[in-house]
Amino acid sequence: MDIWHIRGGRRLEGACPVQGSKNASLPILAAAILAPLRCELHNVPRLRDVDAALRILRCLGCLAEQRENDVYIDSTTLSGCSIPHSLMEEMRSSVIFMGALLARCGEARLSLPGGCQLGKRPIDLHLAALRQLGAEIEEDGTDICCRAARLKGAEIALPFPSVGATENAMLAACAAKGTTTIRGAAKEPEIQALQAFLSRAGAGIGGAGSDTIRIEGFDSAARCVCRIIPDRIVASTLACAAAATGGDVSLCGIDPRHFSALLYFLNKAGCDIISSNRSVRIRSRGRLRAAGEIVTEPYPGFPTDAQPVLMAAMLQAEGETRIRETIFENRFRQVPELRRLGADIAVCGQTAEIRGVDRLHGAALTATDLRGGAAMIVAGLAACGDTVICDDGHVSRGYESFDRCLCALGADICFDHGI
Ligand code: EPZ
C-alpha cells in the first residue's frame, strides 16, 4: 500500500516541467511490434502501466528496457502472439496489443483487459473494427482469439470516437492490403502522437486529429526514434492544484491547446491563464468562483480524465459548480472520500453538484482509482491540516514522482511507497 501524507494549506508557486504522457506512451509501446523494429522512445514516464507494457513486450520475446525516461525496444526477436491473463489484467491498454499482434503475426491470443473500475468498459468497438479488417475473432468468457490470414483495407465507421478502438484499428490497418478509412475516429492528441510514430516507422497514414484517418499500408523502417508528448492530464492536475491553493505555477514544455478546455474553466473560476507556445502560467487571485456547468466529452471537449481534479479545485469555490459525466458511468468514485474533507457534493445520476465550502479540513482517505486519487491529493493540498491517503498503487499508474514535483512547488507532501 502506498501512503500519501499531505500537510495542506500551502500555496503552490514556481515552474515545473510536465512528464511524458502515459496515454501516448502505451499505444506506441504496442505499436513497436508492428514490424521487426528497433525503437528508441524518449520522455517516457516511469509508471506502473509503462512497466506492465514493457513486461508484455518481453513476454512476447522482444527486448525492452527503460533507462530513466528512455525506452529501448528491439522487436526483431518477437517469438509469440499470446499474452497471459496476469499481464492483460494489469491495465486497459494491454488490449491495444491485439491490433498490433494481428498485424505482425496474423494471430493474437489474449483476454479482457484490466484498468480503472469506471463502470462497464466493453471492447465491442475494437472487435467490430478488427472484424471489418478481416479478422476472425472467437470470444470465450474472458479469452479472446483473433486470426487473420490476410487483413484487408476497409471503411470503418466508429459509432463513438473510442480512443482505444481507434488505436487498435490504426495498428491492424497498417498490415492490411489496400486502404483503410476510419470515420468517426477519436481526435485526442494521443491519437496524433500514435500517427506520428507510425509514420516514422513506415506507415502511410494521415488525418489524425480530424474525425477521418486514412491508412495506406506500411513499408517498415528498420529503426524508429520518437519523443513522447507531455501529459495533458498531469498538466491539468497541476493546474488544478495551483488554482485550488491560490498558487502561481508555470507548466513548461506543454502545448496549451492540449488542455484548453480545462484552462477555460480555470479562467472562468477567476485564474489568470498566461499561455505561450510551449508553457502555461496559472495564477490564482484568491478565492475561486464556481466554474458553472461542465460536461465531459470526447476531445476537444472537456476530458473525463480531468473531471475529478477540476471537481477537487471547485470544492472551496464561491457558488455552485455542476459536472455532468458522459463518458464513463462510474466516475464519481472520489466523491464520498472528498466529503470526508468537508466537501459539499450532491450526486444525482451522472451529475455532481458542488457547493463551495469556506474551508476543507484534513482527513484519512482511500484512493479509489487513478484520477480519483489525484483529485484527493489536490483537495488535500487545499485543505487545512493533515490528510493521509491510502493508495493501492493507483496514482503511480499515471503520475511519475508526483510528490517530488509538488514539493518543488512548495507543497508539504510525503510519499511512502509500498508499505
Ligand atoms: C482512453 O481509454 C484513456 N486510456 C482513458 O484514460 C480515458 O479516460 C478515455 O480514453 C477517454 O478519454 C488510455 O488512453 C490508455 P474509450 P479508452 O475507448 O480507450 C465506451 C486515464 O485515467 N466504449 O474512448 O478505454 C467506453 O465504455 C484513463 O488515464 C465502448 O462502449 O476509452 C467508454 O464509456 C482512464 N465500446 C467510452 O466508450 C468499446 O469498444 C470511452 O472509451 C470501447 C469503448
Short mmCIF file of all heavy atoms in Angstrom, two decimals, residues 217-249:
data_model
loop_
_atom_site.label_atom_id
_atom_site.label_comp_id
_atom_site.label_asym_id
_atom_site.label_seq_id
_atom_site.Cartn_x
_atom_site.Cartn_y
_atom_site.Cartn_z
N GLY A 217 -1.18 1.27 -45.92
CA GLY A 217 -0.09 0.29 -45.90
C GLY A 217 1.12 0.72 -45.11
O GLY A 217 1.13 1.78 -44.46
N PHE A 218 2.13 -0.11 -45.15
CA PHE A 218 3.25 0.01 -44.24
C PHE A 218 4.50 -0.50 -44.92
O PHE A 218 4.54 -1.65 -45.38
CB PHE A 218 2.92 -0.85 -43.00
CG PHE A 218 3.80 -0.63 -41.82
CD1 PHE A 218 3.72 0.54 -41.09
CD2 PHE A 218 4.70 -1.61 -41.42
CE1 PHE A 218 4.51 0.74 -39.96
CE2 PHE A 218 5.49 -1.43 -40.30
CZ PHE A 218 5.40 -0.24 -39.57
N ASP A 219 5.50 0.34 -44.99
CA ASP A 219 6.77 -0.09 -45.57
C ASP A 219 7.79 0.12 -44.45
O ASP A 219 8.34 1.21 -44.30
CB ASP A 219 7.06 0.79 -46.80
CG ASP A 219 8.34 0.37 -47.48
OD1 ASP A 219 8.89 -0.69 -47.10
OD2 ASP A 219 8.79 1.10 -48.37
N SER A 220 8.01 -0.94 -43.69
CA SER A 220 8.68 -0.78 -42.39
C SER A 220 10.10 -0.21 -42.47
O SER A 220 10.93 -0.67 -43.24
CB SER A 220 8.72 -2.14 -41.69
OG SER A 220 9.47 -2.02 -40.51
N ALA A 221 10.33 0.78 -41.62
CA ALA A 221 11.70 1.26 -41.40
C ALA A 221 12.37 0.25 -40.47
O ALA A 221 11.69 -0.51 -39.78
CB ALA A 221 11.65 2.63 -40.74
N ALA A 222 13.71 0.23 -40.42
CA ALA A 222 14.37 -0.73 -39.52
C ALA A 222 14.46 -0.15 -38.11
O ALA A 222 14.49 -0.88 -37.12
CB ALA A 222 15.76 -1.05 -40.04
N ARG A 223 14.44 1.20 -38.03
CA ARG A 223 14.70 1.86 -36.77
C ARG A 223 13.76 3.04 -36.64
O ARG A 223 13.44 3.70 -37.64
CB ARG A 223 16.17 2.34 -36.82
CG ARG A 223 16.73 2.73 -35.49
CD ARG A 223 18.25 2.85 -35.54
NE ARG A 223 18.66 3.52 -34.31
CZ ARG A 223 18.74 4.83 -34.18
NH1 ARG A 223 18.51 5.62 -35.22
NH2 ARG A 223 19.09 5.36 -33.02
N CYS A 224 13.34 3.31 -35.42
CA CYS A 224 12.41 4.42 -35.25
C CYS A 224 12.70 5.14 -33.93
O CYS A 224 12.78 4.49 -32.88
CB CYS A 224 10.99 3.86 -35.27
SG CYS A 224 9.74 5.10 -35.17
N VAL A 225 12.85 6.45 -33.99
CA VAL A 225 13.12 7.24 -32.79
C VAL A 225 11.96 8.21 -32.60
O VAL A 225 11.48 8.80 -33.57
CB VAL A 225 14.44 8.05 -32.95
CG1 VAL A 225 14.73 8.86 -31.69
CG2 VAL A 225 15.60 7.11 -33.26
N CYS A 226 11.51 8.35 -31.36
CA CYS A 226 10.33 9.19 -31.15
C CYS A 226 10.35 9.79 -29.75
O CYS A 226 10.84 9.17 -28.81
CB CYS A 226 9.12 8.31 -31.40
SG CYS A 226 7.61 8.76 -30.63
N ARG A 227 9.84 11.02 -29.61
CA ARG A 227 9.75 11.66 -28.30
C ARG A 227 8.28 11.73 -27.90
O ARG A 227 7.44 12.21 -28.67
CB ARG A 227 10.37 13.07 -28.38
CG ARG A 227 10.46 13.72 -27.03
CD ARG A 227 11.22 15.05 -27.05
NE ARG A 227 11.08 15.67 -25.76
CZ ARG A 227 11.82 15.35 -24.69
NH1 ARG A 227 12.76 14.45 -24.80
NH2 ARG A 227 11.60 15.93 -23.53
N ILE A 228 8.00 11.24 -26.70
CA ILE A 228 6.60 11.21 -26.22
C ILE A 228 6.14 12.63 -25.85
O ILE A 228 6.89 13.39 -25.22
CB ILE A 228 6.50 10.27 -25.00
CG1 ILE A 228 6.93 8.84 -25.37
CG2 ILE A 228 5.09 10.29 -24.39
CD1 ILE A 228 6.08 8.13 -26.40
N ILE A 229 4.91 12.96 -26.23
CA ILE A 229 4.37 14.31 -25.93
C ILE A 229 4.12 14.46 -24.43
O ILE A 229 3.94 13.46 -23.72
CB ILE A 229 3.05 14.57 -26.70
CG1 ILE A 229 1.98 13.51 -26.35
CG2 ILE A 229 3.30 14.62 -28.20
CD1 ILE A 229 0.59 13.83 -26.87
N PRO A 230 4.10 15.69 -23.91
CA PRO A 230 3.81 15.89 -22.50
C PRO A 230 2.37 15.47 -22.14
O PRO A 230 1.50 15.44 -23.02
CB PRO A 230 3.99 17.40 -22.31
CG PRO A 230 4.79 17.84 -23.47
CD PRO A 230 4.43 16.93 -24.60
N ASP A 231 2.17 15.15 -20.89
CA ASP A 231 0.90 14.58 -20.44
C ASP A 231 -0.10 15.69 -20.09
O ASP A 231 0.05 16.41 -19.11
CB ASP A 231 1.16 13.70 -19.20
CG ASP A 231 -0.01 12.81 -18.87
OD1 ASP A 231 -1.13 13.35 -18.75
OD2 ASP A 231 0.19 11.58 -18.75
N ARG A 232 -1.18 15.78 -20.89
CA ARG A 232 -2.13 16.87 -20.69
C ARG A 232 -2.96 16.67 -19.43
O ARG A 232 -3.51 17.64 -18.88
CB ARG A 232 -3.02 17.05 -21.93
CG ARG A 232 -3.89 15.86 -22.24
CD ARG A 232 -4.49 15.92 -23.63
NE ARG A 232 -5.09 14.66 -23.98
CZ ARG A 232 -6.39 14.39 -23.84
NH1 ARG A 232 -7.21 15.30 -23.39
NH2 ARG A 232 -6.87 13.20 -24.16
N ILE A 233 -3.08 15.42 -18.95
CA ILE A 233 -3.89 15.22 -17.74
C ILE A 233 -3.05 15.51 -16.49
O ILE A 233 -3.56 16.07 -15.52
CB ILE A 233 -4.48 13.79 -17.70
CG1 ILE A 233 -5.26 13.50 -19.00
CG2 ILE A 233 -5.37 13.61 -16.48
CD1 ILE A 233 -6.42 14.45 -19.30
N VAL A 234 -1.76 15.20 -16.54
CA VAL A 234 -0.88 15.60 -15.43
C VAL A 234 -0.82 17.13 -15.39
O VAL A 234 -0.89 17.74 -14.31
CB VAL A 234 0.52 14.98 -15.59
CG1 VAL A 234 1.49 15.57 -14.58
CG2 VAL A 234 0.44 13.47 -15.44
N ALA A 235 -0.72 17.77 -16.57
CA ALA A 235 -0.72 19.24 -16.62
C ALA A 235 -2.01 19.78 -16.02
O ALA A 235 -2.01 20.75 -15.24
CB ALA A 235 -0.55 19.72 -18.06
N SER A 236 -3.13 19.14 -16.34
CA SER A 236 -4.43 19.58 -15.80
C SER A 236 -4.46 19.45 -14.28
O SER A 236 -5.00 20.30 -13.57
CB SER A 236 -5.56 18.74 -16.39
OG SER A 236 -5.57 18.84 -17.80
N THR A 237 -3.87 18.35 -13.78
CA THR A 237 -3.86 18.12 -12.33
C THR A 237 -3.03 19.20 -11.63
O THR A 237 -3.46 19.76 -10.61
CB THR A 237 -3.27 16.72 -12.04
OG1 THR A 237 -3.98 15.75 -12.81
CG2 THR A 237 -3.36 16.37 -10.56
N LEU A 238 -1.86 19.51 -12.19
CA LEU A 238 -1.02 20.54 -11.58
C LEU A 238 -1.70 21.90 -11.66
O LEU A 238 -1.63 22.71 -10.71
CB LEU A 238 0.35 20.57 -12.28
CG LEU A 238 1.23 19.34 -12.00
CD1 LEU A 238 2.40 19.28 -12.98
CD2 LEU A 238 1.76 19.38 -10.55
N ALA A 239 -2.37 22.16 -12.77
CA ALA A 239 -3.08 23.44 -12.92
C ALA A 239 -4.18 23.56 -11.87
O ALA A 239 -4.37 24.61 -11.25
CB ALA A 239 -3.66 23.55 -14.32
N CYS A 240 -4.89 22.46 -11.64
CA CYS A 240 -5.97 22.48 -10.62
C CYS A 240 -5.39 22.62 -9.22
O CYS A 240 -5.97 23.30 -8.36
CB CYS A 240 -6.81 21.20 -10.73
SG CYS A 240 -7.88 21.23 -12.18
N ALA A 241 -4.23 22.00 -8.98
CA ALA A 241 -3.59 22.14 -7.67
C ALA A 241 -3.16 23.59 -7.44
O ALA A 241 -3.32 24.14 -6.34
CB ALA A 241 -2.39 21.20 -7.57
N ALA A 242 -2.65 24.24 -8.50
CA ALA A 242 -2.26 25.65 -8.38
C ALA A 242 -3.50 26.49 -8.08
O ALA A 242 -3.49 27.33 -7.16
CB ALA A 242 -1.61 26.12 -9.69
N ALA A 243 -4.58 26.24 -8.82
CA ALA A 243 -5.80 27.03 -8.64
C ALA A 243 -6.38 26.82 -7.24
O ALA A 243 -6.77 27.78 -6.56
CB ALA A 243 -6.83 26.64 -9.70
N ALA A 244 -6.41 25.58 -6.79
CA ALA A 244 -7.04 25.25 -5.51
C ALA A 244 -6.28 25.81 -4.32
O ALA A 244 -6.85 26.04 -3.26
CB ALA A 244 -7.15 23.73 -5.37
N THR A 245 -4.97 26.02 -4.48
CA THR A 245 -4.17 26.50 -3.35
C THR A 245 -3.88 28.01 -3.45
O THR A 245 -3.02 28.52 -2.73
CB THR A 245 -2.81 25.75 -3.28
OG1 THR A 245 -2.10 25.98 -4.51
CG2 THR A 245 -2.99 24.26 -3.08
N GLY A 246 -4.56 28.70 -4.36
CA GLY A 246 -4.31 30.14 -4.53
C GLY A 246 -2.92 30.39 -5.06
O GLY A 246 -2.30 31.41 -4.75
N GLY A 247 -2.41 29.47 -5.87
CA GLY A 247 -1.00 29.50 -6.27
C GLY A 247 -0.71 30.23 -7.57
O GLY A 247 -1.60 30.86 -8.18
N ASP A 248 0.54 30.11 -7.98
CA ASP A 248 1.02 30.75 -9.21
C ASP A 248 2.08 29.82 -9.80
O ASP A 248 3.23 29.80 -9.36
CB ASP A 248 1.63 32.12 -8.85
CG ASP A 248 2.09 32.89 -10.08
OD1 ASP A 248 2.06 32.33 -11.19
OD2 ASP A 248 2.48 34.06 -9.91
N VAL A 249 1.65 29.01 -10.77
CA VAL A 249 2.52 27.93 -11.26
C VAL A 249 2.66 28.02 -12.78
O VAL A 249 1.67 28.22 -13.48
CB VAL A 249 1.93 26.55 -10.84
CG1 VAL A 249 2.62 25.41 -11.58
CG2 VAL A 249 2.04 26.35 -9.34
#
